[in-house]
Amino acid sequence: MKDLIDPIDLSVEDVDTILKLAGKIMADRPAYAHVCDGKKLATLFYEPSTRTRLSFEAAMLELGGSILGFHSADSSSATKGESIADTARIVEKYADIIAMRHPKEGAPLVAAMHVDIPVINAGDGGHNHPTQTLTDLLTIHETMHRLDNVTVGLCGDLKFGRTVHSLIKAMSRYENVRFVLISPDELRIPDYIKEEVLLANNIPFEEVEQMEDVMPSLDILYMTRVQRERFFNEADYIRLKDSYILDHTKLLNAKEDLKIMHPLPRVNEIAKEVDNDPRAVYFKQAEYGKFVRMALIMWLLGLDK
Amino acid sequence: MLKVDSIERGIVLDHIKAGKAMQIYEYLNLDELDCSIAIIKNVKSNKMGLKDIIKVNDNIDINLDVLGYIDPNITVNIVENNVIVGKKRLELPQKICNVVQCKNPRCITSIEPGLDHIFKLANKEKRLYRCIYCEDEAKTR
């Protein structure tokens, strides 16, 4: 595979290869410190993103490679009206691999269609964010030591949360995975995910509004933010907002080995008191994001052999 | 009853769903042709009740992908010397290029006018096509 545009482009075997390579990198970081010597990663970020960009850049630097690029559309030739295709063609002359974030859906695919070097989608609007999905899978793999036989609770904004949609698609491919979808009625998972992914593949799932009742059954609790602007009226937001804030009290019935995840940034949906709970893995998750990107860069450049 | 002559050589598009002939005329850019074209609407049909027919009095290259996308049940008859010499079966095309426009304002095609609007067949039973860039459904047919 040349590019990574959609997380489902990767087969289960591809994901397995990347996660295993990430595991090897974590176990012996010095051994990978010069794998990308002389290679350059172009980070073409048409909109700001602190975590994803830094994670990509840290990944390439840690592999011994170099980085170049821009961090907003204002500092790119897009302001002069240059097309994505032309920008990508030019960057191809200077770099060995591209990571692109763009506010419009499909922009990284356009770049990938016009260059021979690998293109990684680093987030295209509300559409795909495959390296976040890989990060989530690595976090589950490393903390649970498996990707099958798990009950995954997804909580918060399940309607607009692209990380949630991608994770459901990716996890649905493993044996005996069950989903508990916890959200206010306004922010329930879209019908097409239910019909085309869950029902089509006979994946067990339940939809609930409160997390307390289902907490004891969860192996993973994936939190997302419930944003005020997603509600139709203020009264509903005020009525429901506290239901989706995770704190010690809500965790009373949770499993001892529950893993609490969050794609970050967190605002207030996880109380700070939870940060010190050993079940909270969201900061570790951010670190896994760097390692999985290291593995992905190596794999796409053919340097994993 | 209205009588329309048969054509000497060319193409007859038969079994068009009643009322869809003008849409097909536009999709196939038949207005750009100089030859005679007959658009016959609401013809009685044993199979369909009513149907439309388009007769093109010239042997032109028809974009079968466009026709297949609009309605795979249309019959394409090739006429030579007043006789039907061939029929082409239509299938739902796997991909259509610049047949429909993506309407999603969040799609990259909304800000890059030079891009081809490409849709892929996502669900054969539902005849559902999705934009290759943003995965939005094709809205018009």
Side-chain angles (χ1 to χ4, degrees), chain B residues 39-117:
Chain B
I39 299 170
I40 314 161
K41 293 183 68 172
N42 299 327
V43 180
K44 279 186 186 157
S45 159
N46 291 337
K47 199 166 83 175
M48 302 171 71
L50 290 175
K51 65 178 181 179
D52 288 0
I53 300 171
I54 297 178
K55 295 185 177 189
V56 182
N57 199 16
D58 196 0
N59 222 339
I60 57 159
D61 276 337
I62 291 271
N63 188 335
L64 296 177
D65 282 353
V66 173
L67 272 187
Y69 167 72
I70 299 167
D71 185 354
N73 299 314
I74 294 171
T75 311
V76 181
N77 298 310
I78 315 292
V79 178
E80 290 282 353
N81 300 320
N82 297 301
V83 181
I84 294 174
V85 293
K87 284 179 186 278
K88 286 187 181 168
R89 277 183 67 86
L90 295 178
E91 286 181 0
L92 280 180
Q94 290 299 315
K95 196 162 85 171
I96 48 171
C97 185
N98 294 329
V99 178
V100 280
Q101 301 275 306
C102 183
K103 300 274 171 54
N104 178 3
R106 299 179 305 278
C107 180
I108 186 66
T109 54
S110 69
I111 58 163
E112 294 232 344
L115 284 176
D116 287 333
H117 287 239

Side-chain angles (χ1 to χ4, degrees), chain A residues 6 82-84 102-107 109-110 113 124 127-128 169 195-196, chain B residues 104-112 115 118 126 128 130 132-135 137:
Chain A
D6 182 325
E82 186 172 59
S83 67
I84 300 278
H102 198 286
K104 292 291 182 184
E105 300 173 5
L109 175 62
V110 173
M113 288 162 73
D124 57 338
H127 186 215
N128 281 320
K169 287 186 202 168
E195 287 162 16
E196 293 176 23
Chain B
N104 178 3
R106 299 179 305 278
C107 180
I108 186 66
T109 54
S110 69
I111 58 163
E112 294 232 344
L115 284 176
I118 304 170
K126 293 183 180 170
L128 174 71
R130 288 193 186 278
I132 63 160
Y133 305 106
C134 68
E135 296 181 76
E137 282 181 34

Side-chain angles (χ1 to χ4, degrees), chain A residues 72-144:
Chain A
S72 76
D74 294 343
S75 54
S76 79
S77 50
T79 52
K80 297 176 191 162
E82 186 172 59
S83 67
I84 300 278
D86 281 4
T87 303
R89 284 193 192 104
I90 301 303
V91 170
E92 183 182 28
K93 311 295 180 207
Y94 307 142
D96 301 282
I97 184 166
I98 291 172
M100 177 184 284
R101 168 163 289 198
H102 198 286
K104 292 291 182 184
E105 300 173 5
L109 175 62
V110 173
M113 288 162 73
H114 289 89
V115 297
D116 292 326
I117 64 172
V119 176
I120 303 171
N121 179 0
D124 57 338
H127 186 215
N128 281 320
H129 193 359
T131 55
Q132 180 64 52
T133 308
L134 282 174
T135 300
D136 298 339
L137 293 176
L138 181 64
T139 306
I140 296 168
H141 187 263
E142 290 299 309
T143 59
M144 306 281 299

